[in-house]
């Protein structure tokens, strides 16, 4: 994992870059509409692993590219997931993602390239259930290892993870969106070899994730806490808790070379408490998001 001093420097850099955008946002009237973020920042793996209730618009597709730049420091390979989200209607979306890897050549070990994971999912946003108290969605995410990737890129298990999420903008503080997610992770061994990471659950588990997102326009501050345990439905008795604050910044066009897509840069800290001890770490992410219609010259 990245050292804490490096992560602090990264966080300070992100805040400095985002300062002008945040000031401009504060000078304009706040518009807390459902079409605005935080939906656009939903589920940035490693920083904000939460599927908020908002879904992609009907018959719209969004392509995401999400390279793991931290792999240059910690692994012999760099992973590059490429995914697509498609809105079937105004409250249902499906998604698919393929993750590939390639050796980066900065270390002596490692050679080659290939695929290591395929992920599929779906989400349904309830239009009337529990309204107007909270916004609610249910969904399922799956992950299947493929190929013959290096052992440290997969745990060697298939995962199926249904969940339900509740969120609601705080009426007195419309920039703040609290949320809670309850989920289950069913896993079984695949034919692909792999290895567990420290403080990772080894069997079926269930968990609760709570937190809040503070929306300042181009900048989002998030705080996520979660507890997962295999004691109730798994084959062992392991419990893991995490605390994950992060800052997510939508990069201005000047920093994306005029790209038509939306680029999100984020930095975060993560503290994990588990049977293998307490682990402190930091990460940074860069995600590119593009509307599929633009690639074919269609009007958005």
């Amino acid at each position: 994992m990245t050292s804490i001093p490096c992560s602090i420097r990264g966080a300070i850099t992100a805040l400095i870059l985002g300062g002008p955008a945040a000031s401009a946002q504060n000078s304009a009237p706040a518009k807390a509409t459902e079409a605005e973020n935080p939906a656009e920042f939903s589920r940035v793996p490693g920083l904000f692993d939460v599927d908020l209730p908002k879904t992609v618009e009907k018959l719209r597709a969004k392509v995401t590219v999400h390279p793991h730049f931290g792999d240059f420091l910690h692994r012999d390979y760099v992973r590059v997931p490429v995914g697509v989200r498609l809105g079937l209607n105004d409250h249902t979306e499906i998604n698919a993602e393929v993750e590939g890897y390639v050796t980066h050549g900065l270390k002596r070990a490692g050679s080659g390239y290939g695929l290591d994971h395929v992920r599929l999912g779906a989400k349904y946003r309830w239009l009337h259930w529990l309204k107007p108290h909270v916004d609610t969605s249910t969904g399922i995410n799956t992950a299947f290892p493929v190929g013959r990737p290096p052992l440290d890129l997969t745990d060697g298990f298939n995962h199926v993870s249904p969940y339900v999420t509740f969120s609601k903008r705080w009426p007195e503080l419309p920039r703040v969106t609290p949320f809670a997610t309850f989920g289950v992770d069913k896993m079984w061994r695949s034919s692909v070899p792999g290895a567990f990471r420290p403080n990772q659950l080894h069997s079926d588990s269930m968990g609760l994730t709570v937190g809040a997102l503070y929306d300042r326009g181009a900048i989002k501050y998030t705080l996520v806490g979660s507890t997962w345990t295999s004691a109730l439905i798994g084959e062992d008795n392991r419990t893991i808790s995490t605390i994950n604050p992060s800052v997510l910044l939508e990069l201005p066009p000047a920093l994306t070379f005029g790209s038509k897509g939306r680029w999100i840069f984020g930095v975060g800290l993560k503290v994990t408490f588990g049977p293998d001890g307490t682990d402190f770490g930091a990460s940074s992410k860069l995600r590119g998001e593009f509307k599929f219609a633009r690639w074919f010259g269609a009007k958005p």
Side-chain angles (χ1 to χ4, degrees):
M1 288 189 173
T2 307
S3 64
I4 295 300
C6 291
S7 68
I8 293 175
R9 289 197 299 270
I12 293 174
T13 301
L15 289 174
I16 292 175
L17 289 174
S23 299
Q25 176 70 15
N26 289 337
S27 62
K31 296 181 180 181
T33 63
E34 188 179 34
E36 289 182 338
N37 295 316
E40 296 294 349
F41 287 91
S42 180
R43 194 170 177 79
V44 180
L47 294 179
F48 188 60
D49 293 295
V50 178
D51 278 302
L52 294 175
K54 180 66 176 178
T55 57
V56 177
E57 297 89 341
K58 180 180 179 180
L59 300 182
R60 298 287 182 89
K62 292 185 178 181
V63 177
T64 59
V65 181
H66 188 178
H68 292 245
F69 289 107
D71 289 348
F72 285 101
L73 298 176
H74 310 302
R75 300 177 188 269
D76 301 321
Y77 303 82
V78 59
R79 294 164 292 167
V80 184
V82 178
V84 60
R85 297 168 58 199
L86 173 64
L88 300 182
N89 52 44
D90 290 332
H91 53 275
T92 306
E93 74 171 45
I94 57 176
N95 61 81
E97 181 180 84
V98 176
E99 181 175 285
Y101 66 93
V102 61
T103 181
H104 50 63
L106 299 180
K107 298 183 179 181
R108 294 182 179 179
S111 62
Y113 58 90
L115 300 178
D116 59 271
H117 274 95
V118 172
R119 300 181 179 93
L120 304 172
K123 179 167 60 173
Y124 179 85
R125 178 171 59 93
W126 294 86
L127 299 180
H128 305 291
W129 186 40
L130 301 182
K131 291 283 191 177
H133 306 291
V134 293
D135 299 320
T136 308
S137 66
T138 54
I140 185 169
N141 292 316
T142 65
F144 307 100
V146 295
R148 282 295 182 269
L151 293 180
D152 62 340
L153 295 188
T154 176
D155 59 11
F157 281 75
N158 301 312
H159 292 261
V160 175
S161 307
Y163 66 88
V164 57
T165 299
F166 309 94
S167 73
K168 183 69 174 179
R169 288 185 184 270
W170 201 326
E172 291 77 13
L173 298 172
R175 293 183 183 274
V176 178
T177 303
F179 53 82
T181 296
F182 174 77
V184 174
D185 182 29
K186 299 289 290 184
M187 54 187 292
W188 66 96
R189 187 173 295 279
S190 72
S191 60
V192 179
F196 288 111
R197 300 184 304 274
N199 283 331
Q200 183 179 0
L201 296 176
H202 296 180
S203 62
D204 297 345
S205 60
M206 56 196 311
L208 175 66
T209 299
V210 297
L213 184 146
Y214 178 44
D215 185 354
R216 295 194 65 186
I219 305 179
K220 307 291 182 288
Y221 301 91
T222 70
L223 178 62
V224 181
S226 66
T227 296
W228 284 78
T229 181
S230 58
L232 300 178
I233 62 174
E235 299 176 357
D236 50 15
N237 185 6
R238 295 169 63 92
T239 298
I240 296 174
S241 299
T242 62
I243 300 175
N244 182 199
S246 65
V247 180
L248 302 169
L249 168 68
E250 181 180 349
L251 297 180
L255 296 179
T256 62
F257 304 99
S259 171
K260 297 296 184 180
R262 164 170 289 186
W263 290 90
I264 300 167
F265 174 74
V267 293
L269 303 176
K270 189 172 186 178
V271 183
T272 304
F273 308 93
D276 300 319
T278 301
D279 189 15
F280 296 87
S283 62
S284 61
K285 301 289 183 179
L286 179 66
R287 187 180 79 180
E289 185 177 273
F290 309 90
K291 292 185 177 180
F292 195 68
R294 292 184 182 274
W295 292 9
F296 297 94
K299 294 183 179 181

